[in-house]
Amino acid sequence: MGKHKIQFANTAIIYYPDRVKVQVENITKTYTKLLSKKTVEAVKNVSFEIKPGEIYALLGPNGAGKSTLIKMIAGLIIPTSGKILFDDKKVKNYEALSAVLEGTRNVYWRLTPLENLHYFANLRGVPTRTIKAKAEQYLVDLDIDAKKKNQSRHLSRGMLQKLAIASALITDPQILLLDEPTLGVDVASARKIKQKIRDLAKKEGKTILLTTHQMDLVDKLADRVGIINKGELIREGTIQELKQIAKKYLYEFVVKGKFTPPALWKKKYDVKVKNSNGDLTEMEIDCKSAEGFKEALETVSKKSEQIISVRQTQDDLEEVFLRSVNGG
């Protein structure tokens, strides 16, 4: 399988030209309420692209439109407008795609784990003889082997989630949609799932869309991130790019004694006094620009007893997310 290295800001990604890319172009989904007849836009004019070998994470609060979007890409919901393309072509069939939806819906509870894998492979037209060895190996790789003779309804939540992922992978899809893949699983299982997702993208060149509320999962896996809120894609970029946007002129000041921000600052900066106990005052100031930081530093220097420390804050991904959805 051929592969090339491409660059997103500071992040190098291996691109697999013989795999399938996903393009979402101006997708909108509108629902009409039965009683009031009012329309609700669950997804509003969203566009993004995922290249082969790339993990794209979609972040958003509950009700933001993540699940609706992933179901439209999977062909389970028809968009009101816009296009979904696989390799620049309108999707006519979904043989290249598998999805793991929240709630372990990829599992038939009355079958054993091994029977589940054969069942879902057969549904997609893959004969038992073709996946026999692969099915056994997936159970071993994901630590489901010891439970393979039990009906799946007896498995724990974590086991069911791993089985759902194995069921999605058994047909060797080129595109993988993962909705909360590590939700409710233990630490050891989550680690195995994360490693499997990473290998699928980086070693096998699969195109992966991931939705989750778990920031550590995104931080460790995602090549690029899209933040969706109220149906709209409000920010997109590598994790480093998003952190730089949020923290560019954000500084934390610690000064000796009590310090009251000047009234004029309300028009210029966003100021948050974190602590003011008489001995020390801690403030977070969004200075908006390099010139703003210079002016704020001069003011604090003149009007405070002593500046103890000044540091540019290093926002984590969770803070970036919160600032984005709250309009920051």
Side-chain angles (χ1 to χ4, degrees):
M1 179 168 58
K3 54 185 177 181
H4 303 294
K5 183 178 283 188
I6 58 174
Q7 196 82 18
F8 285 103
N10 298 322
T11 305
I13 299 172
I14 303 298
Y15 173 49
Y16 296 77
D18 54 345
R19 290 286 185 170
V20 179
K21 70 178 176 181
V22 174
Q23 295 156 279
V24 174
E25 296 186 358
N26 307 117
I27 285 293
T28 295
K29 182 59 184 178
T30 303
Y31 292 100
T32 302
K33 293 183 178 180
L34 289 175
L35 296 178
S36 65
K37 301 300 181 183
K38 291 182 179 179
T39 58
V40 176
E41 280 190 309
V43 176
K44 305 174 187 177
N45 201 38
V46 169
S47 298
F48 60 87
E49 180 177 299
I50 315 171
K51 290 182 170 60
E54 183 179 19
I55 301 172
Y56 186 99
L58 197 61
L59 293 178
N62 290 331
K66 301 186 303 297
S67 292
T68 301
L69 189 51
I70 209 169
K71 287 174 184 175
M72 285 193 286
I73 296 171
L76 300 175
I77 295 177
I78 299 173
T80 303
S81 62
K83 292 186 291 186
I84 295 168
L85 307 173
F86 294 170
D87 276 348
D88 302 310
K89 299 174 184 176
K90 193 170 181 179
V91 185
K92 294 182 178 179
N93 65 67
Y94 290 84
E95 290 181 1
L97 179 148
S98 281
V100 178
L101 302 178
E102 187 180 349
T104 58
R105 298 177 198 178
N106 294 50
V107 174
Y108 188 55
W109 285 35
R110 292 187 180 276
L111 299 180
T112 68
L114 188 58
E115 288 169 342
N116 262 290
L117 298 186
H118 284 284
Y119 173 70
F120 283 105
N122 294 162
L123 279 181
R124 300 285 287 269
V126 181
T128 295
R129 64 180 180 278
T130 303
I131 55 95
K132 187 175 181 181
K134 185 194 293 186
E136 292 277 1
Q137 191 59 50
Y138 273 137
L139 296 180
V140 173
D141 289 347
L142 292 170
D143 280 344
I144 315 171
D145 186 53
K147 306 283 186 179
K148 68 182 181 182
K149 293 182 180 178
N150 294 339
Q151 284 187 336
S152 296
R153 61 179 175 172
H154 299 303
L155 298 180
S156 67
R157 173 68 182 266
M159 286 281 187
L160 284 170
Q161 188 70 2
K162 289 188 289 185
L163 179 56
I165 292 172
S167 297
L169 295 176
I170 196 65
T171 55
D172 192 26
Q174 296 183 54
I175 302 165
L176 191 60
L177 311 180
L178 301 172
D179 194 3
E180 297 286 358
T182 59
L183 185 67
V185 304
D186 59 69
V187 175
S189 295
R191 182 175 295 175
K192 279 193 170 289
I193 291 171
K194 282 187 277 190
Q195 186 58 52
K196 189 66 181 175
I197 293 170
R198 187 181 292 110
D199 289 346
L200 288 167
K202 305 311 169 190
K203 293 182 179 180
E204 299 182 33
K206 296 191 186 301
T207 307
I208 298 178
L209 173 61
L210 168 73
T211 71
T212 183
H213 288 96
Q214 296 173 286
M215 300 298 167
D216 64 321
L217 183 66
V218 176
D219 231 337
K220 291 174 182 176
L221 288 181
D223 297 305
R224 288 188 302 129
V225 178
I227 298 177
I228 188 170
N229 191 35
K230 297 178 182 177
E232 297 182 88
L233 192 66
I234 55 176
R235 273 184 179 160
E236 185 185 42
T238 66
I239 292 172
Q240 196 58 39
E241 286 169 346
L242 292 178
K243 288 181 178 180
Q244 286 172 350
I245 289 170
K247 74 179 184 184
K248 199 167 185 181
Y249 300 109
L250 196 66
Y251 290 85
E252 187 178 83
F253 286 75
V254 179
V255 300
K256 186 177 179 181
K258 186 174 179 61
F259 179 85
T260 303
L264 185 62
W265 278 14
K266 291 182 179 179
K267 296 180 181 179
K268 287 187 171 184
Y269 316 123
D270 291 330
V271 183
K272 185 190 297 181
V273 178
K274 292 182 169 183
N275 181 37
S276 183
N277 58 16
D279 297 325
L280 292 174
T281 300
E282 297 178 37
M283 301 175 292
E284 187 180 77
I285 306 174
D286 186 348
C287 300
K288 306 296 185 181
S289 65
E291 187 62 33
F293 169 66
K294 183 180 177 182
E295 290 178 4
L297 184 61
E298 288 176 356
T299 301
V300 175
S301 180
K302 289 177 183 178
K303 295 185 177 294
S304 68
E305 292 182 42
Q306 178 189 348
I307 296 178
I308 295 173
S309 66
V310 179
R311 71 178 185 89
Q312 191 174 25
T313 60
Q314 302 292 314
D315 277 349
D316 58 18
L317 187 59
E318 183 175 359
E319 186 65 25
V320 173
F321 171 72
L322 291 173
R323 287 179 186 276
S324 297
V325 298
N326 292 324

